[in-house]
């Protein structure tokens, strides 16, 4: 099938780079970017752009009809740290946007849906190291609760109505193109910006807080690879564990100092520490690797070089 794609939440951290990659692969005119507010000039100039509230099913449907869309990537969400401040708002956005898109797929207006989950679905009772695909899931954040509910809605629509919905549990995602957007793992983006701009960084997590992370290029490639995979190979319709690297603030700082020797870091843990403590330290993603041949390319060293080189140019 010729892909005609709508990206909801295209201006967010993942949406920005995923939209760009989708346009490179399938043609600018075949990928409609959308967000609740205007996007960057580059995004709006490169291809079609629509202003859409991701919870507004009728507006989404009108855009699907206008561009004959057959694939929707739903990336609109309120992230972990921000969602704790606005719980009702976060639940409304995170759940109603997903239900709107799943209904449109059930009604056969679109053929495929992508929706991201997160390591936030796990909780303090989950095994922390090498967290398995199927395990105890008792999230303690609004974001995690909404993502866990969303996973089961995806599975329900697949089982009941045959909706081809696919999902990944993202770890922390690191990119030089967009600044942090209110997530608990965002320190690992901010630390690179501050290292280049100011050579000093105050981390809101303690030095030995280990979390699963991934460079943006790997995350984008995994997402597209999953959507390209033969439906017969997709055995999990809640959401696949996805992993690449894991590290602590102390380890990332040591790697940065290899390139910027006078960089300094100090630690002032805040409310986000409690969120981070409830999440896994490392993830077992062997099912994704077995089912559709996922493999990451960036380790901490290679990612650090990419981040610093690009930020210095920027």
């Amino acid at each position: 099938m010729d892909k005609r794609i709508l990206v909801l939440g295209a201006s967010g951290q993942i949406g920005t780079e995923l939209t760009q990659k989708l346009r490179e692969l399938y043609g600018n005119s075949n990928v409609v970017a959308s967000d609740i507010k205007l996007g960057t000039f580059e995004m709006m100039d490169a291809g079609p752009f629509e202003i859409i509230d991701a919870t507004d099913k009728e507006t989404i449907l009108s855009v699907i009809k206008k561009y004959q869309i057959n694939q929707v990537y739903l990336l609109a969400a309120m992230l972990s740290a921000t969602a704790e401040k606005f719980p009702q708002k976060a639940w409304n956005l995170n759940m109603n946007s997903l239900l709107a898109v799943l209904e449109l797929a059930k009604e056969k207006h679109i053929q495929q849906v992508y929706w991201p989950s997160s390591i936030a679905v796990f909780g303090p009772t989950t095994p922390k190291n090498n967290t398995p695909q199927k395990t105890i899931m008792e999230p303690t954040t609004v974001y995690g609760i909404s993502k866990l509910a969303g996973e089961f809605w995806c599975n329900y629509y697949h089982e009941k109505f045959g909706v081809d919905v696919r999902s990944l549990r993202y770890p922390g995602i690191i990119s030089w193109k967009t600044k942090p957007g209110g997530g608990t793992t965002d320190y690992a983006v901010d630390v690179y910006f501050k290292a280049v701009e100011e050579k000093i960084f105050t981390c809101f997590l303690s030095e030995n807080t280990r979390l699963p992370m991934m460079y943006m290029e790997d995350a984008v490639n995994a997402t597209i690879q999953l959507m390209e995979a033969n439906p017969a190979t997709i055995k999990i319709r809640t959401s696949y564990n996805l992993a690449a690297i894991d590290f602590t603030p102390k380890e990332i700082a040591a790697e940065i100092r290899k390139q910027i020797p006078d960089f300094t870091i100090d630690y002032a843990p805040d409310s986000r520490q409690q969120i981070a403590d409830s999440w896994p330290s490392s993830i077992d993603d062997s099912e994704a690797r077995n089912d559709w041949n996922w493999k990451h390319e960036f380790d901490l060293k290679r990612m650090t070089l990419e981040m610093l080189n690009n930020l210095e140019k920027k």
Side-chain angles (χ1 to χ4, degrees):
M1 98 183 155
D2 282 347
K3 289 189 170 60
R4 287 181 299 281
I5 298 166
L6 171 63
V7 183
L8 294 162
S11 296
Q13 188 198 22
I14 296 169
T16 305
E17 297 192 45
L18 182 62
T19 301
Q20 190 181 349
K21 183 73 176 176
L22 289 168
R23 283 176 169 170
E24 283 169 21
L25 289 171
Y26 306 120
N28 287 358
S29 60
N30 291 324
V31 180
V32 181
S34 75
D35 213 299
I36 199 159
K37 56 187 186 301
L38 292 174
T40 61
F41 173 75
E42 293 82 7
M43 182 183 286
M44 293 168 65
D45 190 49
F49 185 92
E50 297 280 341
I51 289 185
I52 301 177
D53 174 346
T55 63
D56 182 350
K57 186 184 167 200
E58 293 312 309
T59 304
I60 299 169
L61 179 57
S62 69
V63 171
I64 285 169
K65 287 178 171 171
K66 177 177 172 183
Y67 295 96
Q68 298 176 302
I69 297 295
N70 50 35
Q71 238 188 21
V72 171
Y73 285 72
L74 169 56
L75 303 173
M78 195 178 287
L79 299 181
S80 57
T82 313
E84 289 304 295
K85 294 176 192 157
F86 310 104
Q88 297 283 338
K89 226 172 169 175
W91 177 260
N92 179 47
L93 170 59
N94 295 1
M95 294 315 307
N96 291 342
S97 58
L98 175 60
L99 290 169
V101 171
L102 289 173
E103 275 293 301
L104 290 166
K106 173 191 155 189
E107 293 159 7
K108 305 281 188 270
H109 296 295
I110 45 178
Q111 290 168 301
Q112 256 191 326
V113 176
Y114 177 77
W115 175 80
S117 187
S118 159
I119 58 166
V121 294
F122 302 118
T125 54
T126 302
K128 280 198 96 65
N129 297 318
N130 225 18
T131 302
Q133 175 68 42
K134 290 193 168 85
T135 186
I136 300 163
M137 297 163 88
E138 297 180 328
T140 52
T141 62
V142 176
Y143 182 61
I145 294 164
S146 70
K147 286 296 183 188
L148 186 56
E151 286 193 13
F152 285 104
W153 277 120
C154 288
N155 195 59
Y156 181 83
Y157 272 79
H158 175 71
E159 295 288 330
K160 281 269 186 193
F161 311 116
V163 170
D164 185 359
V165 56
R166 306 178 185 198
S167 177
L168 296 170
R169 290 175 185 152
Y170 288 131
I173 297 194
I174 299 170
S175 162
W176 58 271
K177 287 187 184 172
T178 39
K179 284 208 166 185
T184 302
T185 54
D186 279 348
Y187 89 85
V189 180
D190 205 21
V191 66
Y192 289 112
F193 278 87
K194 294 289 196 304
V196 170
E197 290 163 3
E198 299 163 29
K199 294 194 170 51
I200 186 165
F201 178 63
T202 299
C203 185
F204 56 72
L205 299 180
S206 64
E207 63 178 0
N208 294 317
T209 306
R210 181 171 300 279
L211 288 169
M213 300 280 186
M214 177 174 283
Y215 189 51
M216 178 66 82
E217 198 174 309
D218 276 335
V220 167
N221 288 341
T223 305
I224 294 167
Q225 193 182 339
L226 175 71
M227 288 297 275
E228 288 281 349
N230 183 320
T233 66
I234 308 298
K235 298 184 181 129
I236 292 164
R237 296 290 183 158
T238 47
S239 190
Y240 275 97
N241 274 4
L242 190 72
I245 46 180
D246 54 82
F247 51 77
T248 65
K250 190 176 176 181
E251 287 167 358
I252 199 174
E255 201 59 49
I256 290 170
R257 265 196 293 274
K258 290 177 188 173
Q259 309 304 320
I260 305 173
D262 52 347
F263 170 66
T264 58
I265 186 167
D266 55 27
Y267 303 92
D270 64 15
S271 60
R272 289 167 283 194
Q273 182 67 50
Q274 202 178 346
I275 299 175
D277 288 343
S278 76
W279 289 352
S281 306
S282 58
I283 300 284
D284 174 4
D285 65 350
S286 51
E287 303 214 26
R289 292 176 190 264
N290 292 336
D291 288 359
W292 42 277
N293 300 321
W294 153 245
K295 46 185 177 292
H296 68 284
E297 291 180 9
F298 286 83
D299 60 11
L300 179 55
K301 181 181 178 181
R302 185 176 169 195
M303 178 179 77
T304 298
L305 289 170
E306 284 272 322
M307 286 292 291
L308 296 176
N309 288 341
N310 281 299
L311 286 171
E312 273 157 10
K313 282 181 212 157
K314 194 178 176 183

